[in-house]
Amino acid sequence: MEKPIPNDDQVLVKIHASSVNFGNLVLLKGEPFLARFAFGLRKPKYPIPGGDIAGRVEAVGKNVTKFQPGDDVFGDLSGSGWGGFAEYVSVPEIALALKPVNLSYEKAAAVPMAGVTALQGLRDKGKIQPGQRILINGASGGVGTFAVQIAKSFGAEVTGVCSTRNLDILRSIGADHAIDYTKEDFTQKPQDYDLILGVNGHKPISAYKRVLTPNGIFVHVGGSESQMFQAMVLGPWISMTSKKKMGTFLQRAKQEDLIYMKELIENGKVKPVIDRSYKLSEVPEAFRYFQEGHAQGKVVITV
């Protein structure tokens, strides 16, 4: 590819790192099939995957006001044509924010999509409040590790669900309780929750409903296709016919939420968890590992 030239409203970023997210996998494989209407019916609509980036501003268009050459930035390109698995990208300034000063490029690149997904799912869709009991199913992955820490920053009591090998990770990032799903089924326990964030798993949403408080909220972020279908179809019906609210959620790239994450990180309330790092030439291997579904935190690409 030729090195991009920014237009009057764009910022040219020299990318130092990116990271792998589920949206990258959807773009690459075209699965589930309905995603092809957004990402390309017969072939990928966007030729270069990669939503998360961290790097340095090399040039700016004449209408750009928030950045200047030399600024260290991070950003989410999912609303701006993707293109993070590359050496350079030209994007609207609204896709970027100044990089947290206490993070390397690699760690900063782990934040945008997963961190903002967790933030929007808990705060905007889940209406999180201090003192609530929160459960995060799939708490040791990219979105899950951010969700645990963000929920704690809101003053919630947080329970994370993960496999045996990930229990120590949850404790290290501040989870109040950790449930090993290979030994316990949280939907069969007497504890109920004000908010459940479903980041992974295969349970029917009726099981989640059973362990919600009378006014509890279930937010589906990821998991099996059958679980997603139930959240989309049955969730609105449950929400209309009871005080419990259940539904699915899609992250939206927002500059103000990137800035919010930057402040949380610089204040020491959130830190990214990195599982593995791959070179840009090793992106296929990174995808193969990521789609196995066992990553502890984020998978990062260094450029």
Side-chain angles (χ1 to χ4, degrees):
M1 303 289 289
E2 294 292 328
K3 182 178 176 179
I5 299 173
N7 64 30
D8 291 345
D9 300 306
Q10 289 183 325
V11 177
L12 175 65
V13 180
K14 179 176 175 58
I15 300 172
H16 288 271
S18 184
S19 69
V20 182
N21 294 283
F22 181 70
N24 306 146
L25 198 60
V26 173
L27 188 157
L28 183 74
K29 299 179 69 176
E31 297 173 359
F33 184 81
L34 287 176
R36 293 181 178 230
F37 291 97
F39 290 123
L41 193 59
R42 300 184 64 183
K43 64 180 182 179
K45 179 179 178 181
Y46 305 102
I48 305 175
D52 291 333
I53 64 164
R56 179 162 291 178
V57 174
E58 187 164 295
V60 299
K62 67 178 184 180
N63 296 331
V64 173
T65 60
K66 296 182 179 179
F67 304 101
Q68 58 186 3
D71 284 344
D72 286 330
V73 296
F74 73 141
D76 177 358
L77 311 185
S78 62
S80 308
W82 302 78
F85 296 161
E87 295 173 297
Y88 290 91
V89 68
S90 286
V91 294
E93 62 179 337
I94 198 170
L96 304 170
L98 292 174
K99 181 180 74 68
V101 296
N102 55 339
L103 291 187
S104 66
Y105 290 120
E106 290 76 14
K107 289 183 177 180
V111 176
M113 292 186 71
V116 170
T117 296
L119 173 64
Q120 293 177 353
L122 290 168
R123 182 195 63 193
D124 303 342
K125 188 73 173 180
K127 311 299 182 185
I128 188 171
Q129 298 295 322
Q132 286 185 324
R133 291 191 300 271
I134 312 296
L135 182 132
I136 298 161
N137 191 21
S140 59
V143 174
T145 50
F146 282 113
V148 169
Q149 298 173 81
I150 292 169
K152 288 298 297 179
S153 77
F154 276 94
E157 179 183 333
V158 181
T159 298
V161 180
C162 64
S163 62
T164 308
R165 74 187 188 107
N166 295 324
L167 292 173
D168 288 341
I169 289 178
L170 293 197
R171 297 186 182 106
S172 73
I173 58 176
D176 298 290
H177 313 284
I179 296 176
D180 182 348
Y181 69 77
T182 68
K183 298 178 180 179
E184 296 181 273
D185 182 352
F186 71 88
T187 67
Q188 300 299 322
K189 295 169 72 70
Q191 180 66 66
D192 57 8
Y193 302 93
D194 301 294
L195 170 60
I196 298 175
L197 196 69
V199 183
N200 207 343
H202 303 79
K203 295 184 180 298
I205 65 169
S206 58
Y208 289 105
K209 181 184 177 184
R210 186 165 56 245
V211 289
L212 282 175
T213 57
N215 295 293
I217 299 174
F218 167 73
V219 180
H220 175 270
V221 176
S224 67
E225 287 189 34
S226 62
Q227 184 175 277
M228 178 179 69
F229 179 79
Q230 289 181 47
M232 292 175 63
V233 176
L234 298 180
W237 171 253
I238 294 172
S239 300
M240 287 189 297
T241 57
S242 75
K243 292 183 178 180
K244 298 180 181 182
K245 305 300 179 186
M246 310 190 75
T248 190
F249 157 79
L250 289 175
Q251 173 258 7
R252 293 287 183 267
K254 293 181 69 174
Q255 188 179 55
E256 53 264 44
D257 287 343
L258 277 176
I259 295 171
Y260 187 95
M261 290 301 303
K262 173 182 181 291
E263 292 170 351
L264 284 180
I265 291 165
E266 290 180 342
N267 289 328
K269 294 182 178 180
V270 171
K271 61 181 180 180
V273 177
I274 308 296
D275 183 325
R276 297 187 183 184
S277 179
Y278 293 83
K279 297 177 182 178
L280 183 60
S281 59
E282 299 171 328
V283 164
E285 288 80 5
F287 270 115
R288 292 187 189 104
Y289 176 69
F290 178 80
Q291 71 179 351
E292 291 174 2
H294 302 301
Q296 298 171 302
K298 292 285 295 181
V299 175
V300 172
I301 307 298
T302 60
V303 182

Coordinates of all heavy atoms in Angstrom, one line a residue, residues 26 37 40 50 55 59 88 100 111 129 140 154 170 183 195-196 215 229-230 261 269 277 289 302:
V26 N -14.6 -10.6 12.7 CA -15.8 -10.6 11.9 C -15.5 -10.0 10.6 O -16.0 -10.5 9.5 CB -16.9 -9.7 12.7 CG1 -18.1 -9.5 11.8 CG2 -17.3 -10.4 14.0
F37 N -23.5 -7.6 5.8 CA -24.2 -6.5 5.3 C -23.5 -5.2 5.7 O -23.7 -4.1 5.1 CB -25.6 -6.5 5.7 CG -26.4 -7.6 5.1 CD1 -26.6 -8.8 5.7 CD2 -27.0 -7.5 3.8 CE1 -27.3 -9.8 5.2 CE2 -27.7 -8.5 3.2 CZ -27.9 -9.7 3.9
G40 N -19.2 -6.2 4.1 CA -18.9 -6.6 2.8 C -19.6 -8.0 2.5 O -19.3 -8.9 3.3
G50 N -7.9 -4.0 11.7 CA -7.3 -3.3 12.8 C -8.1 -2.1 13.2 O -8.2 -1.1 12.4
G55 N 0.2 5.5 18.4 CA 1.3 6.0 17.6 C 1.6 7.4 17.7 O 1.2 8.1 18.7
A59 N 1.6 14.2 10.6 CA 1.2 15.4 9.8 C -0.3 15.6 10.1 O -1.0 14.7 10.5 CB 1.4 15.2 8.3
Y88 N 1.1 3.2 8.7 CA 0.5 4.5 8.7 C -1.0 4.5 8.5 O -1.5 3.5 7.8 CB 1.1 5.4 7.6 CG 2.6 5.8 7.8 CD1 3.6 5.0 7.3 CD2 2.9 7.0 8.5 CE1 4.9 5.4 7.5 CE2 4.2 7.3 8.7 CZ 5.2 6.5 8.2 OH 6.5 6.9 8.4
P100 N -2.4 8.0 27.0 CA -2.1 8.1 28.4 C -0.6 8.2 28.6 O 0.2 7.4 28.0 CB -2.7 6.8 29.0 CG -3.7 6.4 28.0 CD -3.3 6.8 26.7
V111 N -6.2 -0.6 24.6 CA -7.3 0.1 25.3 C -8.5 0.4 24.5 O -9.7 0.1 24.9 CB -6.8 1.4 26.0 CG1 -7.9 2.1 26.7 CG2 -5.7 1.0 27.0
Q129 N -24.3 1.8 39.1 CA -24.4 2.7 40.3 C -23.5 2.2 41.4 O -23.2 1.0 41.5 CB -25.8 2.8 40.8 CG -26.9 3.4 39.8 CD -26.6 4.8 39.5 OE1 -26.2 5.6 40.3 NE2 -26.8 5.2 38.2
S140 N -11.9 -12.5 32.1 CA -10.5 -12.5 32.0 C -10.0 -12.2 30.6 O -8.8 -12.1 30.3 CB -9.9 -13.9 32.3 OG -10.5 -14.9 31.5
F154 N -16.4 2.6 39.6 CA -17.7 3.2 39.9 C -18.2 2.9 41.3 O -19.3 3.3 41.7 CB -18.8 2.7 38.9 CG -18.8 3.5 37.6 CD1 -18.1 3.1 36.5 CD2 -19.6 4.6 37.5 CE1 -18.1 3.8 35.3 CE2 -19.6 5.3 36.3 CZ -18.9 4.9 35.2
L170 N -7.9 -12.1 37.8 CA -9.1 -11.4 38.3 C -8.8 -10.7 39.7 O -9.1 -9.6 39.9 CB -10.3 -12.2 38.4 CG -10.9 -12.8 37.1 CD1 -12.3 -13.3 37.3 CD2 -10.9 -11.7 36.0
K183 N -15.9 -25.3 37.8 CA -16.3 -25.9 39.1 C -17.6 -25.5 39.7 O -18.2 -26.2 40.5 CB -15.2 -25.7 40.2 CG -13.8 -26.2 39.8 CD -12.8 -25.9 40.8 CE -11.4 -26.5 40.4 NZ -10.4 -26.1 41.5
L195 N -26.5 -6.0 38.0 CA -26.1 -5.8 36.6 C -25.2 -7.0 36.2 O -24.3 -7.3 37.0 CB -25.4 -4.5 36.4 CG -24.7 -4.3 35.1 CD1 -25.6 -4.3 33.9 CD2 -23.9 -2.9 35.1
I196 N -25.5 -7.6 35.1 CA -24.7 -8.7 34.6 C -24.2 -8.3 33.2 O -25.0 -7.9 32.3 CB -25.4 -10.0 34.5 CG1 -25.8 -10.5 35.8 CG2 -24.5 -11.1 33.8 CD1 -26.7 -11.8 35.8
N215 N -35.0 -5.5 39.7 CA -34.9 -4.5 38.7 C -33.5 -4.5 38.0 O -33.0 -3.5 37.5 CB -35.0 -3.1 39.4 CG -36.4 -2.9 40.0 OD1 -37.3 -2.7 39.2 ND2 -36.5 -2.8 41.3
F229 N -28.6 -14.2 19.7 CA -29.9 -14.2 19.0 C -31.0 -14.1 20.1 O -31.9 -13.3 19.9 CB -30.1 -15.5 18.3 CG -31.4 -15.6 17.6 CD1 -31.7 -15.0 16.4 CD2 -32.4 -16.4 18.2 CE1 -32.9 -15.1 15.8 CE2 -33.7 -16.5 17.6 CZ -33.9 -15.8 16.4
Q230 N -30.8 -14.8 21.2 CA -31.8 -14.7 22.3 C -31.9 -13.3 22.9 O -32.9 -12.8 23.2 CB -31.5 -15.7 23.4 CG -31.7 -17.2 23.0 CD -31.4 -18.1 24.1 OE1 -31.8 -17.9 25.3 NE2 -30.7 -19.1 23.9
M261 N -11.3 7.1 29.3 CA -10.4 5.9 29.6 C -9.0 6.4 29.9 O -8.3 5.9 30.8 CB -10.4 5.0 28.4 CG -11.7 4.2 28.2 SD -12.2 3.2 29.7 CE -10.7 2.2 29.9
K269 N -6.6 3.9 38.0 CA -7.8 3.1 38.3 C -8.0 1.9 37.3 O -8.7 1.0 37.6 CB -9.0 4.0 38.3 CG -9.0 5.0 39.4 CD -10.3 5.8 39.4 CE -10.3 6.8 40.6 NZ -11.6 7.6 40.6
S277 N 2.1 -10.6 22.4 CA 2.4 -9.6 21.5 C 3.0 -10.3 20.2 O 3.8 -11.2 20.3 CB 3.5 -8.6 22.1 OG 3.8 -7.6 21.1
Y289 N -4.5 -17.4 17.2 CA -4.5 -17.6 18.7 C -5.7 -16.9 19.3 O -6.4 -17.5 20.1 CB -3.2 -16.9 19.3 CG -3.2 -16.9 20.8 CD1 -3.1 -18.1 21.5 CD2 -3.4 -15.7 21.5 CE1 -3.1 -18.1 22.9 CE2 -3.4 -15.7 22.9 CZ -3.3 -16.9 23.6 OH -3.3 -16.9 24.9
T302 N 2.7 -5.3 17.3 CA 3.7 -4.2 17.3 C 4.1 -4.0 15.9 O 4.2 -4.9 15.1 CB 4.9 -4.6 18.1 OG1 5.5 -5.8 17.6 CG2 4.5 -4.8 19.6

